[in-house]
Each structure stands twice: as C-alpha cells, then as structure tokens.
C-alpha cells in the first residue's frame, strides 16, 4: 500500500489527497480546491465494491505511512463511527498528514436538523443528493435506501454540533481548527497541522462558507 502513496510521478511536486469514504470514482465530487493541478487523489473506502485504492476503516490507516499525506477529504464519514471510535480516526488523520497538511471534514449538523425536526416537518425531504432525496431520518440514522440495500455500514452511530466537532478535532491535536455551519444541514471543518501555509486558508475560504 505504501507504493500507492509514494508512486506518484514527480513526487514532491504532486500533493497527495487522501479521499476517505470515497465511494465510486467521481472527481466532480471533490471540492473545487482539489480540482487544481498538482493534486493526486488516493481513494480509500471500507467498501471494496467501489474499487478504492485502499480498502479499510478510517479508524486504522496503518497501511499509510506517517506524515505522507498533504490533505484529507472526509465527506460524511465520522458519523458512521461509534462515538468511542472517533478519537482513533482523528488520531489517524493527524498521524498520516504532513507537518503542513490539513484535513477538510464535512458531516451532518445535528443542531440544524434538530431545529428542523422541532418545527414539526419530519417527513419532507431536506434536499436532493446524488443518491436521492435526503430526509431528517437519513441524517440522523443513515441513508435508509442504502441500508435497505444491504450496506449496513451506512448507518449513523454518532453525530456532531459545531462545538463538539471542533472539540474533537482540538482534542486530536490539530494546531488550528475552524468549523462553519453549511447550507445543507451540514458542518464544514478545517483542521490544520502546525506548519500549514496561511495561504491555504484563503485557498479554502470558498469551500468553508
């Protein structure tokens, strides 16, 4: 597996993006900041059916060397873990990142969804995703259509507010953590390593709005 991380051409000029919970190949699903030249996506997923570069759980990235990754993109993954597994996953994120690396994380915002449920509108879809309509129950308990299809790992086992996500990332040892509420009942977090280039914050400003 080490070869997957180090076999990029012109290593040093190419930045390694570890895309955890990648799903089926689809570069369009990456945030715009990773569409720029110089990024190389390394796809990681627990489901071998999506043909990732590496199969595994985000609680154990032992097949990836220390300080070998420039950035991690985690879209709707941490909520699939049990609460007690989250520190292990974030510790692994931090271990594999280079000293100037960063993790970009997005996941459901439980506070926003709770406000919606409290309004009494539980049944209506919140938004349309590539996988179909997403309702409050999908956000709370996992995408029901995927679970019904036999993908039990799609169930949600924990959840976050902006405060608890920020605290978890700080507790994991990241040097600076910025958490923003998103537009689609979601949270977005940037967790930076100590030597991050300040220009990265400008580079990601559009993503974190």
């Amino acid at each position: 597996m080490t070869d997957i991380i180090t076999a990029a051409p012109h290593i040093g000029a190419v930045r390694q993006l570890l895309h955890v919970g990648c799903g089926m190949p689809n570069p369009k699903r990456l945030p715009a900041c990773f569409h720029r030249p110089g990024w190389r996506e390394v796809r990681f997923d627990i489901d071998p059916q999506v043909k990732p570069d590496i199969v595994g759980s985000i609680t154990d990235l032992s097949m990836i060397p220390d300080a070998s990754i420039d950035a991690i993109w985690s879209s709707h993954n941490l909520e699939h873990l049990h609460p007690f597994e989250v520190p292990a996953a974030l510790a692994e994120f931090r271990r594999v990142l280079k000293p100037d690396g960063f993790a970009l994380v997005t996941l459901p915002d439980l506070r926003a969804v709770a406000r919606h449920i409290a309004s009494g509108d539980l049944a209506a879809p919140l938004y349309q995703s590539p996988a179909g309509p997403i309702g409050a129950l999908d956000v709370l308990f996992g995408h029901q259509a995927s679970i019904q299809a036999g993908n039990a790992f799609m169930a949600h086992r924990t959840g976050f507010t902006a405060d608890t996500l920020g605290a978890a990332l700080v507790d994991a040892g990241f040097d600076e953590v910025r958490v923003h509420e998103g537009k689609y009942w979601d949270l977005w977090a940037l967790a930076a390593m100590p030597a991050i280039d300040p220009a990265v914050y400008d580079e990601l400003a559009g993503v974190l709005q």
Side-chain angles (χ1 to χ4, degrees):
M1 293 300 178
T2 301
D3 290 345
I4 295 173
I5 303 301
T6 59
H10 312 299
I11 193 74
V14 173
R15 292 189 287 179
Q16 307 267 16
L17 169 64
L18 181 63
H19 183 182
V20 297
C22 59
M24 296 297 290
N26 185 358
K28 293 181 180 179
R29 293 177 60 190
L30 296 176
C33 57
F34 298 124
H35 294 174
R36 295 169 182 162
W39 284 106
R40 173 180 182 265
E41 180 187 16
V42 178
R43 299 174 56 252
F44 183 103
D45 204 290
I46 198 170
D47 183 2
Q49 299 299 317
V50 302
K51 297 181 171 53
D53 298 309
I54 306 171
V55 178
S57 166
I58 57 175
T59 60
D60 180 7
L61 305 180
S62 58
M63 64 292 288
I64 300 174
D66 294 358
S68 60
I69 298 295
D70 295 279
I72 293 173
W73 165 230
S74 175
S75 176
H76 293 269
N77 292 294
L78 292 175
E79 68 271 24
H80 296 287
L81 302 176
H82 293 289
F84 61 84
E85 295 176 308
V86 172
L90 296 181
E92 283 291 79
F93 283 11
R94 192 176 186 284
R95 179 186 65 78
V96 302
L97 283 170
K98 294 179 179 178
D100 61 347
F102 65 89
L104 184 61
V105 176
T106 186
L107 46 69
D109 180 355
L110 284 193
R111 190 173 71 161
V113 174
R115 285 197 299 255
H116 180 80
I117 294 172
S119 74
D121 192 6
L122 181 62
L126 298 175
Y127 63 93
Q128 292 288 329
S129 80
I134 301 297
L137 293 180
D138 295 306
V139 175
L140 286 178
F141 302 113
H143 188 232
Q144 296 303 294
S146 296
I147 297 170
Q148 185 179 17
N151 298 317
F153 51 79
M154 293 297 289
H156 291 181
R157 298 176 177 85
T158 191
F160 300 86
T161 65
D163 288 344
T164 62
L165 177 58
L169 291 165
V170 169
D171 288 347
F174 285 98
D175 191 66
E176 181 166 344
V177 173
R178 300 184 181 188
V179 181
H180 297 262
E181 295 181 353
K183 301 176 182 176
Y184 300 99
W185 292 271
D186 53 4
L187 296 170
W188 289 75
L190 173 63
M193 296 292 280
I196 191 171
D197 184 340
V200 169
Y201 296 117
D202 293 332
E203 186 178 359
L204 296 179
V207 176
L208 294 173
Q209 288 180 354

